Amino acid sequence: MPSAPDTLFHKVWKRHVVTVTEDATLLYIDRHLVHEVTSPQAFEGLRLSGRKVRRPELTFATLDHNVPTENQLDIREPMSKRQVEALRTNAKEFGVTLYDMGSGRQGIVHVIGPELGLTLPGLTIVCGDSHTSTHGAFGSLAFGIGTSEVEHVLATQTLWQGKTPKALGIEVKGKLPAGLEPKDIILAVIRAIGTGGATGHVLEYYGPAISAMSMEGRMTVCNMSIEAGARAGLIAPDDTTIQYITATKRPFAPTGAALESALADWKLLQTDDPSAFDRIVTIDASSLVPQVTWGTNPAMTVDVTGRIPEPDQVPFTSREDARRSLEYMGLTPGTPISEIPIDIVFIGSCTNGRIEDLRSAAQVFRGRKVAAGVRALIVPGSEPVREQAIAEGLDRVFTEAGAEWRQAGCSMCLAMNPDKLTPGQRSASTSNRNFEGRQGPGGRTHLVSAAMAAAAAVTGKFTDVRTLLSQGV
Amino acid sequence: MEAFLTYRGRAALLDWSDVNTDLIIPARYLKRIERTGYGPLLFADKRYVPGGAPDPDHPESHGELASDFPLNASANQDATILIVGRNFGCGSSREHAVWAVAQAGYRAVIAPGKDDGFADIFEGNALNNGLLPIELPEADWETIATAVRTGPTEITIDLLRKRVTLHGNSDIEFAFDVPEGNRERILKGLDAIAETLLNDHAITRYEQSAPVWAGLSV
Ligand code: SF4
């Protein structure tokens, strides 16, 4: 009798079951990524109970959230410095590899995992960070955890999971039009299902627009799965995945016989049939236009050609919550998106801080200038991304346009370093959260793609990047 | 973790949906390396007058409370049970959000919904800290919220029987669910890691069976 079709997610889940109880599953964790913000209390917990890190060779740390991007080595805030020092001390004491500033490998934790070859299909990957969902782009089951769980994984290399998540298929049909980016797809998905639309679910993205996408783009899509409330987001590995892992030298990627056996295994990592999903949502990429968020959560999104909605016309949101959002954002219903002036442009983060994002921004900046009164920060996601951009001459495109070319870190994605909005300032940002105060207290964030952020930088407002690209320079 | 059997306390209502963890505790307060001291930082950007939120370096000093923030109402000052809107705790995985809620004196958070009252990571973090995340069907939640809107309201949470009791002229009881393993641990105040290590042989067995390329053991 043929077995019932299964999903990629369940296949990966099942291979990691250590033991089960009545209503919980103990999962084995293959890679544990660590950064300075959510780990100090976990290491302290180990110390207090006299425990060790069970598998230090599967645990990797980096510094990203607090890192200044003008001069990484000059951390002026005492609290940031203390946190950075704490991770250095903990990594040394517990035998964990740390990719420190200047190591050539430092960067945002979700950017460096794939670069190092740590992120591979079929693995379980956790990190004390909700955007761990990024790594699902390789067909791994990757999710964010809290600090108590960080301590639990450090001590046991396992994690208890309650109810098994459901599998939600996100089919992305059609071909993404020129000028649009994977960011527009994921913003459209969140807009369609809401910020709580995938709570308790793992998303799997598939369909022609996903198959045609680069690994960088797939990471952007999986990255924001959490913004729909999903536990994780995955994409089945294919030739694009294998090419990414094997075509460049990645220190932890398998080679030789190990690679051969891995490749045979990765072929099995597919959803057998869409009927195996608990639910399916379909999006047509070919009908999308660039997306811009207007409110204080990532589902509050409209087309760049659209207008600010009336408070009683905001999906998934009560009139009162929508009214508070509009007030915080300083926006009036009916205003065309294209008439909203901006102060700051931030291009970077684990959503859009990879080389392709910088290339697409550079395409818009080339031969243009940052608009008067606007500040544009370009922050590569990692030291290797920065090196690559310099090798391609992108840094000069940015600086000649009048943008600031920075060092690697999380930067203005969450404003734990000196890069912050001041109250009332409005940004076009390639990051993933437009929450109140996310980029600095009182700051107003609009999420967009890298190309749209660049278009906002050179025009001083939200501009449909397709009009700039068709003009050429 | 403090053991939790039954608990009776005053309820406060924050009737906003999609409250994210950046709002519960802004990122600039995540620079602390301690597990304590987060109580005064809860909802810092809403709770204090503009510019009055505590300085990350000196969290003990802060400005005046904002008069328009619901939890600042004098009736809510000694509340220990927090009634919130749907999808509470979405966004960042920061456990600091749970520490802030717990250290501000709350023992339980009650949200409406079925599996979508709380964001997944927040819910897990809360359970790991003995801050009880309770989901109630919309109608039950509304009954409680209405009572709180009307006047001072006390609630009892019985974790042994998995019941919430709304005290009033006559008491009303609602059932809730919590994963058995978590319930057990919270009831007894157990150390999750020590429990897991009882499965050490199973973990070791799993490790021995992992493919070479997955384990980095070469
Ligand atoms: S870039 Fe932003 S979202 Fe990504 S890990 Fe850093 S702070 Fe978190």
Side-chain angles (χ1 to χ4, degrees):
Chain A
M1 202 178 76
S3 54
D6 208 354
T7 61
L8 165 59
F9 156 62
H10 281 112
K11 289 181 186 177
V12 180
W13 174 280
K14 279 191 262 176
R15 346 172 128 179
H16 289 89
V17 174
V18 174
T19 186
V20 286
T21 66
E22 193 190 318
D23 60 1
T25 305
L26 189 64
L27 284 188
Y28 197 81
I29 303 303
D30 296 316
R31 301 285 183 272
H32 187 187
L33 308 177
V34 172
H35 65 78
E36 77 275 18
V37 180
T38 54
S39 65
Q41 296 86 354
F43 283 113
E44 183 62 14
L46 291 187
R47 211 174 273 124
L48 290 173
S49 48
R51 292 181 174 126
K52 294 205 284 261
V53 175
R54 182 182 179 99
R55 300 290 303 273
E57 77 281 17
L58 300 183
T59 312
F60 298 85
T62 189
L63 296 162
D64 51 8
H65 287 63
N66 283 277
V67 174
T69 58
E70 244 179 323
N71 176 2
Q72 285 187 329
L73 301 180
D74 183 19
I75 307 183
R76 301 211 180 139
E77 291 184 45
M79 301 274 285
S80 291
K81 200 170 196 160
R82 194 166 70 122
Q83 200 161 53
V84 164
E85 285 303 334
L87 183 54
R88 288 185 178 135
T89 309
N90 288 331
K92 206 163 173 192
E93 180 180 336
F94 289 93
V96 168
T97 304
L98 169 68
Y99 295 100
D100 205 331
M101 274 96 79
S103 63
R105 286 295 186 182
Q106 173 269 342
I108 304 170
V109 63
H110 311 308
V111 177
I112 72 166
E115 282 173 353
L116 287 162
L118 291 169
T119 307
L120 299 172
L123 300 184
T124 46
I125 303 176
V126 299
C127 173
D129 193 285
S130 59
H131 291 102
T132 308
S133 58
T134 312
H135 307 265
F138 291 76
S140 49
L141 175 59
F143 52 92
I145 57 178
T147 298
S148 297
E149 292 175 314
V150 169
E151 184 180 340
H152 191 278
V153 177
L154 288 173
T156 69
Q157 204 59 32
T158 63
L159 202 55
W160 286 103
Q161 295 289 291
K163 216 177 268 178
T164 309
K166 293 192 178 125
L168 170 55
I170 305 280
E171 181 190 19
V172 190
K173 291 197 306 197
K175 183 171 179 286
L176 196 61
L180 273 84
E181 301 196 345
K183 182 69 162 282
D184 297 303
I185 292 182
I186 188 61
L187 284 173
V189 169
I190 300 164
R191 178 182 173 181
I193 67 176
T195 54
T199 305
H201 289 74
V202 165
L203 305 182
E204 183 181 335
Y205 305 90
Y206 65 99
I210 301 295
S211 302
M213 210 179 267
S214 69
M215 287 315 292
E216 283 84 353
R218 294 178 189 185
M219 285 189 250
T220 301
V221 168
C222 287
N223 173 275
M224 286 190 76
S225 304
I226 180 72
E227 309 312 332
R231 197 80 185 94
L234 308 100
I235 294 172
D238 60 9
D239 289 343
T240 306
T241 322
I242 293 165
Q243 180 73 13
Y244 178 98
I245 293 168
T246 56
T248 307
K249 188 166 165 27
R250 306 193 181 278
F252 296 99
T255 53
L259 177 62
E260 289 310 311
S261 88
L263 288 174
D265 181 73
W266 296 346
K267 282 207 170 63
L268 309 173
L269 297 173
Q270 310 282 337
T271 288
D272 300 324
D273 188 281
S275 65
F277 292 120
D278 294 283
R279 191 156 65 97
I280 293 176
V281 170
T282 302
I283 299 270
D284 182 3
S286 59
S287 66
L288 292 179
V289 301
Q291 303 288 296
V292 181
T293 70
W294 62 265
T296 53
N297 76 47
M300 294 173 166
T301 298
V302 288
D303 295 349
V304 66
T305 49
R307 291 168 185 271
I308 302 297
E310 296 290 339
D312 53 3
Q313 282 169 13
V314 179
F316 312 110
T317 307
S318 72
R319 194 193 150 81
E320 182 49 27
D321 283 344
R323 192 199 56 73
R324 280 191 295 104
S325 266
L326 285 166
E327 185 182 304
Y328 180 85
M329 293 299 289
L331 294 170
T332 315
T335 310
I337 297 298
S338 57
E339 286 174 13
I340 301 172
I342 51 120
D343 306 300
I344 303 271
V345 170
F346 169 62
I347 298 178
S349 87
C350 58
T351 313
N352 287 117
R354 284 171 289 267
I355 190 67
E356 272 196 3
D357 304 306
L358 300 188
R359 285 180 193 141
S360 96
Q363 207 189 332
V364 178
F365 278 118
R366 193 166 277 127
R368 295 190 173 94
K369 291 276 182 216
V370 173
V374 173
R375 217 182 125 200
L377 272 75
I378 322 281
V379 185
S382 69
E383 292 180 358
V385 169
R386 187 177 148 88
E387 288 309 307
Q388 176 71 25
I390 292 173
E392 295 179 20
L394 305 183
D395 58 325
R396 285 198 316 277
V397 175
F398 299 135
T399 50
E400 279 163 18
E404 299 171 32
W405 171 241
R406 296 298 190 91
Q407 295 172 347
C410 293
S411 180
M412 206 184 268
C413 174
L414 92 166
M416 277 187 79
N417 77 346
D419 306 334
K420 308 180 182 31
L421 296 182
T422 55
Q425 269 189 336
R426 191 179 296 284
S427 78
S429 177
T430 66
S431 53
N432 41 51
R433 285 185 177 141
N434 50 351
F435 297 157
E436 289 186 33
R438 172 80 178 182
Q439 297 191 294
R444 294 163 169 164
T445 302
H446 297 263
L447 304 175
V448 288
S449 72
M452 281 292 290
V458 298
T459 60
K461 55 195 174 70
F462 295 106
T463 301
D464 189 338
V465 66
R466 293 172 302 177
T467 60
L468 298 183
L469 293 174
S470 63
Q471 280 167 15
V473 187
Chain B
M1 192 161 81
E2 209 181 327
F4 191 127
L5 214 57
T6 66
Y7 180 79
R8 178 169 177 154
R10 168 85 66 85
L13 173 66
L14 183 65
D15 193 6
W16 299 350
S17 294
D18 301 303
V19 169
N20 63 68
T21 54
D22 275 87
L23 206 63
I24 299 173
I25 185 163
R28 61 186 185 281
Y29 300 125
L30 309 186
K31 299 184 185 193
R32 303 169 56 77
I33 58 175
E34 298 79 11
R35 223 182 161 103
T36 53
Y38 296 95
L41 308 175
L42 176 67
F43 293 117
D45 285 340
K46 291 284 170 191
R47 184 169 163 190
Y48 303 99
V49 295
D55 185 307
D57 292 317
H58 305 282
E60 61 292 345
S61 61
H62 56 75
E64 218 179 298
L65 294 177
S67 57
D68 59 349
F69 182 57
L71 298 183
N72 287 343
S74 58
N76 289 332
Q77 286 317 299
D78 53 356
T80 51
I81 294 169
L82 187 58
I83 317 293
V84 298
R86 197 184 286 266
N87 198 24
F88 187 81
C90 58
S92 151
S93 62
R94 60 189 71 168
E95 194 161 316
H96 310 66
V98 166
W99 297 336
V101 173
Q103 290 165 19
Y106 296 101
R107 301 293 309 273
V109 188
I110 303 182
K114 174 146 177 42
D115 298 332
D116 58 356
F118 297 97
D120 293 332
I121 307 179
F122 180 91
E123 187 171 15
N125 288 343
L127 289 167
N128 283 331
N129 284 274
L131 173 74
L132 214 55
I134 298 178
E135 267 189 341
L136 291 179
E138 190 87 43
D140 296 354
W141 181 90
E142 195 52 52
T143 305
I144 293 179
T146 304
V148 178
R149 282 189 201 105
T150 319
T153 300
E154 294 219 338
I155 285 176
T156 294
I157 292 161
D158 182 344
L159 184 55
L160 212 53
R161 292 172 52 242
K162 298 193 274 189
R163 293 283 189 279
V164 172
T165 308
L166 172 65
H167 299 291
N169 293 336
S170 54
D171 290 356
I172 314 177
E173 227 180 47
F174 307 105
F176 68 91
D177 215 11
V178 59
E180 206 35 52
N182 292 107
R183 191 172 79 110
E184 186 73 14
R185 245 170 268 140
I186 295 174
L187 281 171
K188 298 185 180 154
L190 295 177
D191 171 2
I193 295 175
E195 293 275 286
T196 302
L197 289 174
L198 300 176
N199 296 290
D200 195 38
H201 57 285
I203 301 174
T204 305
R205 197 169 349 107
Y206 182 94
E207 284 169 335
Q208 286 160 353
S209 72
V212 167
W213 56 270
L216 297 180
S217 51
V218 267

